[in-house]
Amino acid sequence: MISDDSIVALSSGRLPAGIAVIRISGPKTRFVVETIAGGMVKDRVATLRKLWATDGSLMDHGLVLFFPGPTSFTGEDVAEFHVHGGRAVAGRMLETIAGFDGVRHAEPGEFTRRAFLNGKLDLVETEALADLVNAETEAQRRFAVQNAEGAQSALYLGWRRRLIHARAMIEAEIDFSDEEDVPGSVSDTVWSDVRAMIDEISRHIDGFHAAEIIRDGFEVVILGAPNAGKSSLFNALARREAAIVTDEPGTTRDLLEVVLDLNGVRVRVTDTAGLREAPGKVEAIGIEKARAKAHTADLMLLLEDLANPVAISEIPADIPALRIGTKVDLLKDQRPLGAYDAFISTVEGTGLAELLAEIGGRAAAAIGDVGDILPSRLRHVELLNETKRFLASALSGEERGQELRAEELRLAADRLGRIVGAVDVEDLLDVIFSQFCIGK
Ligand SMILES: Nc1nc2c(c(=O)[nH]1)N(C=O)[C@@H](CNc1ccc(C(=O)N[C@@H](CCC(=O)O)C(=O)O)cc1)CN2
């Protein structure tokens, strides 16, 4: 532990609320419970108690929970007071508890930090817990809860275990190759497993964009000539007047964004300035931004006014696009010319549900399958790339001898250990001794 302080905080949300949860962790927890609740409560059982301030006055009548360390969330003694969620009640409780000797207000994330330091959570699980608390969409929640439960860590720890085993095998071959317990061509098997691992890691890294979409949103950008109906569509999607709409070309000059939740996936839709030549200075900057935005989009909606179709030039060819005919209500009985993916009228509401379903389907497809394990942070990707580089180098450097190659396996495993925050060399020896009867 870094400190012996006990920490207290309001662990539930904004007040007033039905109930407020005040949590304390650390060595003073027992004493605080005994004093405030007039005695200890049974471990891990919610118990209704009167809660007394240090001056002998009644603060509230609430539920008390005590979790003895080390089997608690933080690994220390933890208690919770579930009190009436008034500001004054929670305030008095917090000030009273923080007033005890050796107790102070917790820093942000400090309970979880203690859980990590006490080995309750690894680094990836800790990150996932933060994601879980911040999750706003179903996809974000699903992804975070799976990783908070250790799915992502298990993948890295599995690779790390294989590398530690591989290195143990190579070192055993170096040190004990004259002994009969070591199989002859162990290194062939080892290096082919390393090759397989490089592929597995590469495929895993490829999933990072899906993780970014889950977290930051599927990027949809609306493009088109001035007055193609971009802002009307944008407002229809936003279900409010988020963008100013006029019949004057060049009304939208800056990028406008709205965030949608389409079937549990975060989708960010950006409205842009109409693409045209020879505009004014401000509008030109807007058009530049629109073009730049198109390059980072996951989907472009290319809008054309059916009554006055102006094809959009200079759009990125490698970004998926939907060509959308707008103002279909003005068309009466005419059949639109040209190949459109959708027809809409924001005036009559035609085609909007279908368009939303299409965007939602594409966003869902982009995040991959439920249960896919993805790298959730750039930090993971960077360390995974380093891991891969060491593995590729170990694999290719035959002429440098087994010792150097074994060292590269160690460095690779070390990078994986850094991802989960558990780098430790003792287990290497364990593997060697558990695999071969060296001492015989
Ligand atoms: N009231 C309340 N609700 C909560 C939490 C909490 O701390 N308090 N949590 C907190 O964020 C989450 C639940 N997570 C928890 C994780 C571990 C332990 C715990 O006591 N772990 C022990 C014992 C495990 C067991 O009995 O199986 C341990 O790991 O040793 C408790 C809650 C969500 N809901």
Side-chain angles (χ1 to χ4, degrees), residues 11 21 23 44 65 67-68 70-75 78 80 82 112 120-121 129 133:
S11 288
V21 176
R23 182 157 67 165
R44 308 177 69 88
L65 264 161
F67 303 87
T71 48
S72 68
F73 174 71
T74 61
V78 170
E80 293 181 4
H82 298 204
T112 309
K120 293 285 168 184
L121 300 165
L129 211 51
V133 171

PDB file of all heavy atoms in Angstrom, residues 11 21 23 44 65 67-68 70-75 78 80 82 112 120-121 129 133, ligand 1:
ATOM      1  N   SER A  11     -20.150   7.438  -3.177  1.00  0.00           N
ATOM      2  CA  SER A  11     -19.940   6.561  -4.335  1.00  0.00           C
ATOM      3  C   SER A  11     -21.123   6.548  -5.283  1.00  0.00           C
ATOM      4  O   SER A  11     -21.017   6.021  -6.389  1.00  0.00           O
ATOM      5  CB  SER A  11     -19.624   5.131  -3.872  1.00  0.00           C
ATOM      6  OG  SER A  11     -18.324   5.099  -3.325  1.00  0.00           O
ATOM      7  N   VAL A  21     -24.910   6.417  -1.382  1.00  0.00           N
ATOM      8  CA  VAL A  21     -24.001   5.405  -0.847  1.00  0.00           C
ATOM      9  C   VAL A  21     -22.679   6.073  -0.496  1.00  0.00           C
ATOM     10  O   VAL A  21     -22.019   6.657  -1.359  1.00  0.00           O
ATOM     11  CB  VAL A  21     -23.766   4.258  -1.858  1.00  0.00           C
ATOM     12  CG1 VAL A  21     -22.737   3.254  -1.303  1.00  0.00           C
ATOM     13  CG2 VAL A  21     -25.079   3.554  -2.185  1.00  0.00           C
ATOM     14  N   ARG A  23     -18.964   5.386   0.929  1.00  0.00           N
ATOM     15  CA  ARG A  23     -18.073   4.222   1.038  1.00  0.00           C
ATOM     16  C   ARG A  23     -16.780   4.624   1.722  1.00  0.00           C
ATOM     17  O   ARG A  23     -16.242   5.701   1.478  1.00  0.00           O
ATOM     18  CB  ARG A  23     -17.810   3.675  -0.366  1.00  0.00           C
ATOM     19  CG  ARG A  23     -16.927   2.442  -0.370  1.00  0.00           C
ATOM     20  CD  ARG A  23     -17.130   1.619  -1.607  1.00  0.00           C
ATOM     21  NE  ARG A  23     -16.667   2.278  -2.826  1.00  0.00           N
ATOM     22  CZ  ARG A  23     -16.489   1.637  -3.974  1.00  0.00           C
ATOM     23  NH1 ARG A  23     -16.738   0.346  -4.072  1.00  0.00           N
ATOM     24  NH2 ARG A  23     -16.076   2.288  -5.031  1.00  0.00           N
ATOM     25  N   ARG A  44     -20.711  -8.466   5.407  1.00  0.00           N
ATOM     26  CA  ARG A  44     -21.367  -8.633   4.103  1.00  0.00           C
ATOM     27  C   ARG A  44     -22.884  -8.814   4.181  1.00  0.00           C
ATOM     28  O   ARG A  44     -23.479  -9.383   3.267  1.00  0.00           O
ATOM     29  CB  ARG A  44     -20.732  -9.779   3.314  1.00  0.00           C
ATOM     30  CG  ARG A  44     -19.206  -9.680   3.199  1.00  0.00           C
ATOM     31  CD  ARG A  44     -18.578 -10.840   2.479  1.00  0.00           C
ATOM     32  NE  ARG A  44     -18.911 -10.835   1.067  1.00  0.00           N
ATOM     33  CZ  ARG A  44     -18.219 -10.188   0.124  1.00  0.00           C
ATOM     34  NH1 ARG A  44     -17.150  -9.520   0.444  1.00  0.00           N
ATOM     35  NH2 ARG A  44     -18.593 -10.216  -1.128  1.00  0.00           N
ATOM     36  N   LEU A  65     -23.136  -1.812   5.566  1.00  0.00           N
ATOM     37  CA  LEU A  65     -22.526  -3.029   5.022  1.00  0.00           C
ATOM     38  C   LEU A  65     -21.048  -3.014   5.355  1.00  0.00           C
ATOM     39  O   LEU A  65     -20.378  -1.998   5.145  1.00  0.00           O
ATOM     40  CB  LEU A  65     -22.660  -3.023   3.491  1.00  0.00           C
ATOM     41  CG  LEU A  65     -23.819  -3.774   2.867  1.00  0.00           C
ATOM     42  CD1 LEU A  65     -24.033  -3.264   1.448  1.00  0.00           C
ATOM     43  CD2 LEU A  65     -23.525  -5.269   2.838  1.00  0.00           C
ATOM     44  N   PHE A  67     -17.449  -5.107   4.605  1.00  0.00           N
ATOM     45  CA  PHE A  67     -16.715  -6.142   3.864  1.00  0.00           C
ATOM     46  C   PHE A  67     -15.305  -6.232   4.449  1.00  0.00           C
ATOM     47  O   PHE A  67     -14.503  -5.319   4.245  1.00  0.00           O
ATOM     48  CB  PHE A  67     -16.585  -5.773   2.379  1.00  0.00           C
ATOM     49  CG  PHE A  67     -17.893  -5.520   1.673  1.00  0.00           C
ATOM     50  CD1 PHE A  67     -18.465  -4.254   1.686  1.00  0.00           C
ATOM     51  CD2 PHE A  67     -18.538  -6.526   0.965  1.00  0.00           C
ATOM     52  CE1 PHE A  67     -19.664  -4.001   1.025  1.00  0.00           C
ATOM     53  CE2 PHE A  67     -19.732  -6.278   0.300  1.00  0.00           C
ATOM     54  CZ  PHE A  67     -20.299  -5.012   0.325  1.00  0.00           C
ATOM     55  N   PRO A  68     -14.985  -7.283   5.176  1.00  0.00           N
ATOM     56  CA  PRO A  68     -13.643  -7.350   5.745  1.00  0.00           C
ATOM     57  C   PRO A  68     -12.598  -7.606   4.656  1.00  0.00           C
ATOM     58  O   PRO A  68     -12.854  -8.376   3.733  1.00  0.00           O
ATOM     59  CB  PRO A  68     -13.732  -8.545   6.706  1.00  0.00           C
ATOM     60  CG  PRO A  68     -14.844  -9.390   6.186  1.00  0.00           C
ATOM     61  CD  PRO A  68     -15.803  -8.468   5.485  1.00  0.00           C
ATOM     62  N   PRO A  70      -9.114  -9.266   3.312  1.00  0.00           N
ATOM     63  CA  PRO A  70      -8.826  -8.836   1.940  1.00  0.00           C
ATOM     64  C   PRO A  70      -9.922  -9.161   0.935  1.00  0.00           C
ATOM     65  O   PRO A  70      -9.771  -8.855  -0.231  1.00  0.00           O
ATOM     66  CB  PRO A  70      -7.559  -9.646   1.603  1.00  0.00           C
ATOM     67  CG  PRO A  70      -7.714 -10.934   2.357  1.00  0.00           C
ATOM     68  CD  PRO A  70      -8.465 -10.572   3.625  1.00  0.00           C
ATOM     69  N   THR A  71     -11.037  -9.771   1.387  1.00  0.00           N
ATOM     70  CA  THR A  71     -12.073 -10.142   0.412  1.00  0.00           C
ATOM     71  C   THR A  71     -13.104  -9.014   0.282  1.00  0.00           C
ATOM     72  O   THR A  71     -14.258  -9.163   0.658  1.00  0.00           O
ATOM     73  CB  THR A  71     -12.778 -11.457   0.810  1.00  0.00           C
ATOM     74  OG1 THR A  71     -13.147 -11.368   2.191  1.00  0.00           O
ATOM     75  CG2 THR A  71     -11.877 -12.642   0.594  1.00  0.00           C
ATOM     76  N   SER A  72     -12.632  -7.890  -0.242  1.00  0.00           N
ATOM     77  CA  SER A  72     -13.506  -6.746  -0.507  1.00  0.00           C
ATOM     78  C   SER A  72     -13.136  -6.192  -1.868  1.00  0.00           C
ATOM     79  O   SER A  72     -12.159  -6.644  -2.475  1.00  0.00           O
ATOM     80  CB  SER A  72     -13.280  -5.666   0.557  1.00  0.00           C
ATOM     81  OG  SER A  72     -11.981  -5.121   0.391  1.00  0.00           O
ATOM     82  N   PHE A  73     -13.869  -5.198  -2.324  1.00  0.00           N
ATOM     83  CA  PHE A  73     -13.562  -4.602  -3.634  1.00  0.00           C
ATOM     84  C   PHE A  73     -12.141  -4.054  -3.678  1.00  0.00           C
ATOM     85  O   PHE A  73     -11.419  -4.254  -4.652  1.00  0.00           O
ATOM     86  CB  PHE A  73     -14.584  -3.500  -3.969  1.00  0.00           C
ATOM     87  CG  PHE A  73     -14.244  -2.745  -5.217  1.00  0.00           C
ATOM     88  CD1 PHE A  73     -14.359  -3.345  -6.466  1.00  0.00           C
ATOM     89  CD2 PHE A  73     -13.777  -1.434  -5.154  1.00  0.00           C
ATOM     90  CE1 PHE A  73     -14.019  -2.663  -7.618  1.00  0.00           C
ATOM     91  CE2 PHE A  73     -13.440  -0.745  -6.306  1.00  0.00           C
ATOM     92  CZ  PHE A  73     -13.563  -1.360  -7.540  1.00  0.00           C
ATOM     93  N   THR A  74     -11.716  -3.359  -2.617  1.00  0.00           N
ATOM     94  CA  THR A  74     -10.370  -2.762  -2.627  1.00  0.00           C
ATOM     95  C   THR A  74      -9.304  -3.707  -2.079  1.00  0.00           C
ATOM     96  O   THR A  74      -8.114  -3.456  -2.244  1.00  0.00           O
ATOM     97  CB  THR A  74     -10.318  -1.488  -1.752  1.00  0.00           C
ATOM     98  OG1 THR A  74     -10.641  -1.862  -0.402  1.00  0.00           O
ATOM     99  CG2 THR A  74     -11.280  -0.416  -2.228  1.00  0.00           C
ATOM    100  N   GLY A  75      -9.730  -4.747  -1.379  1.00  0.00           N
ATOM    101  CA  GLY A  75      -8.776  -5.628  -0.711  1.00  0.00           C
ATOM    102  C   GLY A  75      -8.529  -5.199   0.731  1.00  0.00           C
ATOM    103  O   GLY A  75      -7.907  -5.926   1.503  1.00  0.00           O
ATOM    104  N   VAL A  78     -13.720  -2.560   3.972  1.00  0.00           N
ATOM    105  CA  VAL A  78     -14.586  -1.583   3.294  1.00  0.00           C
ATOM    106  C   VAL A  78     -15.928  -1.555   4.016  1.00  0.00           C
ATOM    107  O   VAL A  78     -16.412  -2.604   4.447  1.00  0.00           O
ATOM    108  CB  VAL A  78     -14.814  -1.970   1.811  1.00  0.00           C
ATOM    109  CG1 VAL A  78     -15.895  -1.097   1.169  1.00  0.00           C
ATOM    110  CG2 VAL A  78     -13.523  -1.863   1.002  1.00  0.00           C
ATOM    111  N   GLU A  80     -19.970   0.405   3.694  1.00  0.00           N
ATOM    112  CA  GLU A  80     -20.864   1.295   2.956  1.00  0.00           C
ATOM    113  C   GLU A  80     -22.004   1.702   3.864  1.00  0.00           C
ATOM    114  O   GLU A  80     -22.522   0.873   4.623  1.00  0.00           O
ATOM    115  CB  GLU A  80     -21.450   0.572   1.734  1.00  0.00           C
ATOM    116  CG  GLU A  80     -20.424   0.239   0.674  1.00  0.00           C
ATOM    117  CD  GLU A  80     -21.064  -0.468  -0.526  1.00  0.00           C
ATOM    118  OE1 GLU A  80     -22.310  -0.609  -0.546  1.00  0.00           O
ATOM    119  OE2 GLU A  80     -20.302  -0.873  -1.408  1.00  0.00           O
ATOM    120  N   HIS A  82     -25.687   3.186   3.325  1.00  0.00           N
ATOM    121  CA  HIS A  82     -26.720   3.537   2.344  1.00  0.00           C
ATOM    122  C   HIS A  82     -27.730   4.409   3.084  1.00  0.00           C
ATOM    123  O   HIS A  82     -28.521   3.901   3.870  1.00  0.00           O
ATOM    124  CB  HIS A  82     -27.400   2.288   1.795  1.00  0.00           C
ATOM    125  CG  HIS A  82     -26.471   1.371   1.051  1.00  0.00           C
ATOM    126  ND1 HIS A  82     -26.899   0.474   0.101  1.00  0.00           N
ATOM    127  CD2 HIS A  82     -25.121   1.207   1.101  1.00  0.00           C
ATOM    128  CE1 HIS A  82     -25.858  -0.198  -0.383  1.00  0.00           C
ATOM    129  NE2 HIS A  82     -24.777   0.230   0.216  1.00  0.00           N
ATOM    130  N   THR A 112     -10.533   2.257  -6.700  1.00  0.00           N
ATOM    131  CA  THR A 112     -10.111   1.329  -7.750  1.00  0.00           C
ATOM    132  C   THR A 112      -8.588   1.223  -7.796  1.00  0.00           C
ATOM    133  O   THR A 112      -8.036   0.153  -8.029  1.00  0.00           O
ATOM    134  CB  THR A 112     -10.665   1.785  -9.113  1.00  0.00           C
ATOM    135  OG1 THR A 112     -12.060   1.995  -8.966  1.00  0.00           O
ATOM    136  CG2 THR A 112     -10.426   0.755 -10.179  1.00  0.00           C
ATOM    137  N   LYS A 120      -6.543  -6.928  -6.966  1.00  0.00           N
ATOM    138  CA  LYS A 120      -7.929  -7.327  -7.219  1.00  0.00           C
ATOM    139  C   LYS A 120      -8.274  -7.214  -8.698  1.00  0.00           C
ATOM    140  O   LYS A 120      -9.169  -7.894  -9.196  1.00  0.00           O
ATOM    141  CB  LYS A 120      -8.891  -6.437  -6.414  1.00  0.00           C
ATOM    142  CG  LYS A 120      -8.802  -6.638  -4.923  1.00  0.00           C
ATOM    143  CD  LYS A 120      -9.476  -7.937  -4.552  1.00  0.00           C
ATOM    144  CE  LYS A 120      -9.171  -8.324  -3.116  1.00  0.00           C
ATOM    145  NZ  LYS A 120      -9.756  -9.648  -2.807  1.00  0.00           N
ATOM    146  N   LEU A 121      -7.607  -6.275  -9.340  1.00  0.00           N
ATOM    147  CA  LEU A 121      -7.871  -5.995 -10.757  1.00  0.00           C
ATOM    148  C   LEU A 121      -6.531  -5.805 -11.435  1.00  0.00           C
ATOM    149  O   LEU A 121      -5.601  -5.274 -10.811  1.00  0.00           O
ATOM    150  CB  LEU A 121      -8.610  -4.660 -10.908  1.00  0.00           C
ATOM    151  CG  LEU A 121      -9.959  -4.474 -10.260  1.00  0.00           C
ATOM    152  CD1 LEU A 121     -10.302  -2.982 -10.235  1.00  0.00           C
ATOM    153  CD2 LEU A 121     -11.000  -5.232 -11.045  1.00  0.00           C
ATOM    154  N   LEU A 129     -13.135  -1.049 -16.248  1.00  0.00           N
ATOM    155  CA  LEU A 129     -14.064  -0.581 -15.217  1.00  0.00           C
ATOM    156  C   LEU A 129     -14.375   0.899 -15.437  1.00  0.00           C
ATOM    157  O   LEU A 129     -15.527   1.329 -15.306  1.00  0.00           O
ATOM    158  CB  LEU A 129     -13.422  -0.798 -13.845  1.00  0.00           C
ATOM    159  CG  LEU A 129     -14.346  -1.084 -12.681  1.00  0.00           C
ATOM    160  CD1 LEU A 129     -15.323  -2.211 -13.001  1.00  0.00           C
ATOM    161  CD2 LEU A 129     -13.529  -1.446 -11.450  1.00  0.00           C
ATOM    162  N   VAL A 133     -18.148   2.430 -16.284  1.00  0.00           N
ATOM    163  CA  VAL A 133     -18.798   3.536 -15.584  1.00  0.00           C
ATOM    164  C   VAL A 133     -19.180   4.645 -16.576  1.00  0.00           C
ATOM    165  O   VAL A 133     -20.196   5.307 -16.420  1.00  0.00           O
ATOM    166  CB  VAL A 133     -17.882   4.073 -14.458  1.00  0.00           C
ATOM    167  CG1 VAL A 133     -18.440   5.355 -13.865  1.00  0.00           C
ATOM    168  CG2 VAL A 133     -17.732   3.015 -13.361  1.00  0.00           C
TER     169      VAL A 133
HETATM  170  N1  LIG B   1     -23.138  -1.423  -3.088  1.00  0.00           N
HETATM  171  C1  LIG B   1     -22.220  -1.675  -3.989  1.00  0.00           C
HETATM  172  N2  LIG B   1     -22.574  -2.039  -5.214  1.00  0.00           N
HETATM  173  C2  LIG B   1     -21.625  -2.291  -6.156  1.00  0.00           C
HETATM  174  C3  LIG B   1     -20.251  -2.172  -5.851  1.00  0.00           C
HETATM  175  C4  LIG B   1     -19.898  -1.789  -4.524  1.00  0.00           C
HETATM  176  O1  LIG B   1     -18.718  -1.644  -4.180  1.00  0.00           O
HETATM  177  N3  LIG B   1     -20.912  -1.561  -3.643  1.00  0.00           N
HETATM  178  N4  LIG B   1     -19.304  -2.428  -6.835  1.00  0.00           N
HETATM  179  C5  LIG B   1     -18.015  -1.931  -6.806  1.00  0.00           C
HETATM  180  O2  LIG B   1     -17.527  -1.303  -7.695  1.00  0.00           O
HETATM  181  C6  LIG B   1     -19.711  -3.203  -7.994  1.00  0.00           C
HETATM  182  C7  LIG B   1     -19.688  -4.676  -7.617  1.00  0.00           C
HETATM  183  N5  LIG B   1     -18.332  -5.129  -7.582  1.00  0.00           N
HETATM  184  C8  LIG B   1     -17.740  -5.735  -6.509  1.00  0.00           C
HETATM  185  C9  LIG B   1     -16.570  -6.429  -6.746  1.00  0.00           C
HETATM  186  C10 LIG B   1     -15.980  -7.125  -5.723  1.00  0.00           C
HETATM  187  C11 LIG B   1     -16.538  -7.118  -4.461  1.00  0.00           C
HETATM  188  C12 LIG B   1     -15.933  -7.941  -3.397  1.00  0.00           C
HETATM  189  O3  LIG B   1     -16.340  -7.881  -2.245  1.00  0.00           O
HETATM  190  N6  LIG B   1     -14.948  -8.758  -3.730  1.00  0.00           N
HETATM  191  C13 LIG B   1     -14.295  -9.684  -2.818  1.00  0.00           C
HETATM  192  C14 LIG B   1     -15.188 -10.891  -2.518  1.00  0.00           C
HETATM  193  C15 LIG B   1     -15.561 -11.676  -3.716  1.00  0.00           C
HETATM  194  C16 LIG B   1     -16.664 -12.687  -3.479  1.00  0.00           C
HETATM  195  O4  LIG B   1     -17.234 -12.767  -2.410  1.00  0.00           O
HETATM  196  O5  LIG B   1     -16.935 -13.441  -4.421  1.00  0.00           O
HETATM  197  C17 LIG B   1     -12.963 -10.117  -3.373  1.00  0.00           C
HETATM  198  O6  LIG B   1     -12.693  -9.857  -4.522  1.00  0.00           O
HETATM  199  O7  LIG B   1     -12.189 -10.694  -2.593  1.00  0.00           O
HETATM  200  C18 LIG B   1     -17.684  -6.402  -4.213  1.00  0.00           C
HETATM  201  C19 LIG B   1     -18.283  -5.690  -5.247  1.00  0.00           C
HETATM  202  C20 LIG B   1     -21.048  -2.777  -8.461  1.00  0.00           C
HETATM  203  N7  LIG B   1     -22.023  -2.672  -7.376  1.00  0.00           N
END
